[in-house]
Amino acid sequence: MPPARGTRAPGGRSLQVGLVVTWLSVIVLLPLAALTAKSFAGGVSGFWDAVTAPTALAALRVTILVSVAVALLNAVMGTLIAWVLVRDDFPGKKVVNVLIDLPFALPTIVASIVLLSLYGPDSPVGIHINATRWGLVVALAFVTLPFVVRSVQPVLLEADREVEQAAASLGASGPTTFRRIVLPTLAPAIISGTGLAFARAIGEYGSVVLIGGNIPRETQVASQYIQQAIEIDQPVNAAAVSVTLLAIAFVTLFVLRVAAGRGRRREEEVR
Amino acid sequence: MITVTGARKDFGTFRALDDVSIEIPSGTLTALLGPSGSGKSTLLRSIAGLESLDAGTVVIAGRDVTRVPPQQRGIGFVFQHYAAFKHMTVRDNVAFGLTIRRRPKAEVRAKVDELLEVVGLEGFQHRYPAQLSGGQRQRMALARALAVDPEVLLLDEPFGALDAKVRADLRRWLRRLHDEVHVTTVLVTHDQEEALDVADTIAVLNRGRIEQIGDPDTLYDAPDNQFVMSFLGSVSSVGGTLVRPHDIVLERPAPDDTRANGPGRVLATIERVVRLGFEVRVELRDADGERFAAEVTRGVAQQLGLVAGEQVWAVAPSHAVRDLPQPPDAGVPADAAEADEVASTAGVGEPARA
């Protein structure tokens, strides 16, 4: 049997649970509930009409398409970066390690300006991805970079190298060992990092606002559609698309958590 | 047959192996015995190809494998901490070496079933490693290593993480298994009892060198130097003379005794008398404060009336005294005795290899 989670006095526990519930209510639940209420101001049919309006639907489709692409890109590149940072030695490794977190610190609008000046119409490097979906992918890849790296890195640091040596002694080549032995161990971390990157990507606004071009049905993402809806005084439409984004994010994170948890539980099960 | 010639390995400024040569005949079970840092694990890992030698060669079954990666050396390796594939069932763990070789399913199945029976894990094939005890995990690791029909089986402190009782059971089981399977086996251990219990041949290592290779009787009865004598079996120093504790003769001093201390003969104070079943261990301290132990039978202890606080003569009889050289490069006996103490304390695992 796993040990009980809390070992503090029952009184202390109810106090801390109360504090957490209150905090989450004020910070998360209440705004979300208000948003949801707002989106149904026109009834279920009003909500449905708002979400299925052609431009709204197109914006949601672009958002999800691009976010899935970015999440998958992150899954591969983030794992590779984490691997290199943990397993390889090279000069400047510490600097690179710190660099990973910078996209978190930079105001996303700054990222957008930088990307626009680098890859926009006056690109000094000759790459023009302004107002294309590639522009969106690059902007979102920039802001979501740390998620997979930071969730895989600690798992890789903890990983038992002897397990890989055991696989080698049994005849497994490097790629086989990675696929059959290392990857299954990293999978929960990769999945949860990818999920977070995806959730961040579908809600991202600042970094895509300039480089994306905001072309309806082409590069306009849901967050830009929402902004536009608010500007033309259609708050119900804005709320409805927001709630749809929330629902997608919630379901995605929930499913991934269950999937990642299943693998982990099996490994850690105690006699 | 494994032949290692002139093996040298440095880790930074630390020389783990210093011109080591050893020949391990086919079908034998050889133990590499030594204190931590003696190079025994490095030697084993070099045979496996998990470490690359700075100089020297490794030949397995007539093939020079010095530059061959571990995958192609035809070895089975068992780690102290099991190195189980945690996300795979016991069956998949054991089958791993065969499935990556794309052997037919039926063949893999039959082989795994056979091995699980050999190691006594039939009925556990659908469990995950986390659901097994330490001893069971290590038996699974052994089955996994044997599945690929290795030329040689290499075991790195295989019982080091287990408690004393399981450890003793498992090593006797390993010895029986070896008598059935006959695969050339090399076992690394810091526990002299374990080496004496299972091995046909023991190689004693110290500071990156092999001090002596021989069968257990030879090493115990005719050690080449003081280090081997101290490390294999217990040893006491009577006035600077090394002797096995059970060879020491205790005598009551006569009332008008005027004999002086000398080599192999000291007047000592009894600090403690410990009954160990049939034997009695007498802990002594000589006038210089040097502590040592003698072992006598209960009959002798009663006859002499040994009581803590009294004085006795401790004599190392000349037939039991061997005039042994220090090992080359000065292995200090006190140092060795300390290592021996650690090694012979059952249940105390050596800290993980650096």
Side-chain angles (χ1 to χ4, degrees):
Chain A
M1 283 296 289
R5 290 266 164 91
T7 46
R8 289 174 194 81
R13 193 185 301 169
S14 61
L15 180 69
Q16 66 206 26
V17 168
L19 196 62
V20 167
V21 168
T22 310
W23 176 256
L24 285 180
S25 301
V26 171
I27 297 296
V28 183
L29 284 179
L30 221 54
L32 294 188
L35 184 67
T36 309
K38 183 79 181 170
S39 70
F40 284 97
V44 176
S45 66
F47 177 86
W48 187 248
D49 290 343
V51 172
T52 54
T55 44
L57 216 50
L60 282 171
R61 200 180 294 126
V62 170
T63 305
I64 289 164
L65 189 75
V66 171
S67 299
V68 166
V70 166
L72 294 179
L73 199 63
N74 265 305
V76 177
M77 288 312 296
T79 306
L80 184 63
I81 292 169
W83 180 272
V84 168
L85 284 177
V86 172
R87 293 289 173 92
D88 294 335
D89 267 319
F90 54 91
K93 179 168 154 175
K94 285 204 173 96
V95 178
V96 174
N97 205 0
V98 174
L99 212 64
I100 301 294
D101 287 329
L102 283 188
F104 274 160
L106 199 67
T108 49
I109 188 74
V110 177
S112 205
I113 293 167
V114 171
L115 290 175
L116 188 65
S117 60
L118 253 186
Y119 306 133
D122 308 319
S123 170
V125 290
I127 298 171
H128 305 282
I129 50 171
N130 180 32
T132 65
R133 288 184 185 173
W134 287 112
L136 296 177
V137 169
V138 170
L140 292 175
F142 178 82
V143 292
T144 57
L145 173 71
F147 289 104
V148 174
V149 180
R150 290 299 181 230
S151 60
V152 171
Q153 222 174 356
V155 181
L156 213 45
L157 277 171
E158 289 284 297
D160 180 5
R161 298 291 289 272
E162 286 190 344
V163 172
E164 291 161 49
Q165 293 175 350
S169 77
L170 292 167
S173 64
T176 305
T177 302
F178 184 79
R179 192 169 49 84
R180 301 284 303 269
I181 306 299
V182 180
L183 209 52
T185 315
L186 297 183
I190 296 175
I191 289 172
S192 77
T194 305
L196 286 174
F198 174 78
R200 177 82 169 82
I202 62 171
E204 177 56 18
Y205 176 74
S207 63
V208 295
V209 71
L210 297 177
I211 186 111
N214 201 10
I215 304 164
R217 297 175 199 236
E218 275 300 319
T219 62
Q220 186 182 60
V221 294
S223 58
Q224 290 171 316
Y225 176 85
I226 291 164
Q227 151 88 9
Q228 211 169 47
I230 291 167
E231 275 174 0
I232 58 173
D233 201 22
Q234 290 179 337
V236 175
N237 287 7
V241 173
S242 301
V243 167
T244 310
L245 282 185
L246 280 179
I248 292 167
F250 183 82
V251 170
T252 307
L253 290 179
F254 190 79
V255 168
L256 292 182
R257 177 133 307 182
V258 170
R262 186 170 296 161
R264 215 171 316 187
R265 249 198 319 281
R266 200 171 55 193
E267 280 183 28
E268 287 168 2
E269 200 167 327
V270 225
R271 268 168 290 145
Chain B
M1 174 94 144
I2 307 169
T3 313
V4 177
T5 317
R8 199 186 77 222
K9 177 76 185 173
D10 294 324
F11 293 109
T13 57
F14 177 70
R15 178 148 293 184
L17 292 178
D18 189 3
D19 193 22
V20 168
S21 297
I22 185 172
E23 208 164 84
I24 295 159
S26 294
T28 58
L29 202 169
T30 299
L32 305 179
L33 176 69
S36 47
S38 60
K40 55 193 191 303
S41 276
T42 307
L43 178 57
L44 190 81
R45 292 169 62 82
S46 302
I47 295 172
L50 297 174
E51 305 287 355
S52 57
L53 290 174
D54 295 329
T57 56
V58 178
V59 176
I60 298 176
R63 189 165 66 108
D64 185 341
V65 294
T66 313
R67 299 275 162 256
V68 173
Q71 285 90 340
Q72 290 149 30
R73 288 199 182 191
I75 51 147
F77 202 99
V78 172
F79 296 83
Q80 178 177 3
H81 297 286
Y82 328 122
F85 304 145
K86 290 182 191 151
H87 60 287
M88 293 185 191
T89 60
V90 170
R91 169 173 291 284
D92 291 342
N93 262 276
V94 177
F96 184 81
L98 300 170
T99 48
I100 59 166
R101 283 174 175 73
R102 300 181 199 286
R103 295 279 177 76
K105 278 213 171 90
E107 185 197 321
V108 174
R109 216 183 160 70
K111 180 91 192 178
V112 173
D113 284 340
E114 182 198 321
L115 280 166
L116 287 176
E117 203 187 309
V118 169
V119 302
L121 283 178
E122 62 271 64
F124 289 87
Q125 59 263 45
H126 299 301
R127 299 241 189 139
Y128 285 92
Q131 298 166 310
L132 301 179
S133 70
Q136 289 170 331
R137 267 182 242 184
Q138 201 54 301
R139 281 185 281 149
M140 178 191 83
L142 214 80
R144 185 175 71 179
L146 287 171
V148 295
D149 287 324
E151 202 74 52
V152 296
L153 183 61
L154 307 171
L155 310 160
D156 192 359
E157 301 259 6
F159 314 126
L162 304 168
D163 62 58
K165 170 90 175 72
V166 179
R167 199 149 131 182
D169 288 349
L170 214 52
R171 69 178 182 235
R172 271 161 213 153
W173 171 83
L174 174 73
R175 181 66 228 190
R176 286 196 299 274
L177 181 74
H178 181 264
D179 293 340
E180 282 171 32
V181 184
H182 276 307
V183 57
T184 310
T185 304
V186 185
L187 169 123
V188 158
T189 180
H190 66 273
D191 183 347
Q192 42 130 343
E193 207 182 301
E194 190 166 293
L196 292 169
D197 206 354
V198 298
D200 304 315
T201 307
I202 299 174
V204 179
L205 280 91
N206 183 33
R207 300 170 185 218
R209 293 194 184 156
I210 292 182
E211 299 286 1
Q212 191 175 359
I213 304 175
D215 61 84
D217 284 347
T218 308
L219 291 184
Y220 191 87
D221 295 330
D224 274 355
N225 58 42
Q226 292 184 2
F227 178 83
V228 175
M229 182 173 179
S230 317
F231 199 75
L232 223 82
S234 41
V235 71
S236 291
S237 167
V238 178
T241 304
L242 291 186
V243 66
R244 300 280 183 210
H246 54 77
D247 285 332
I248 295 175
V249 176
L250 300 179
E251 293 168 7
R252 282 236 162 234
D256 54 347
D257 212 325
T258 53
R259 285 176 296 179
N261 284 352
R265 168 176 209 84
V266 290
L267 190 62
T269 309
I270 300 174
E271 291 205 311
R272 217 170 136 226
V273 179
V274 189
R275 261 183 58 184
L276 307 167
F278 174 71
E279 298 243 289
V280 174
R281 190 174 74 226
V282 187
E283 295 177 3
L284 300 153
R285 190 159 70 137
D286 67 19
D288 297 334
E290 205 68 45
R291 287 193 167 83
F292 62 100
E295 280 168 17
V296 296
T297 60
R298 279 182 67 193
V300 170
Q302 279 166 357
Q303 193 191 326
L304 290 171
L306 298 174
V307 180
E310 292 185 355
Q311 291 206 311
V312 287
W313 282 104
V315 182
S318 54
H319 68 86
V321 175
R322 285 177 209 87
D323 191 17
L324 294 175
Q326 298 247 333
D329 205 13
V332 189
D335 191 30
E338 202 175 294
D340 172 58
E341 201 173 283
V342 172
S344 59
T345 310
V348 176
E350 185 191 33
R353 182 191 58 250

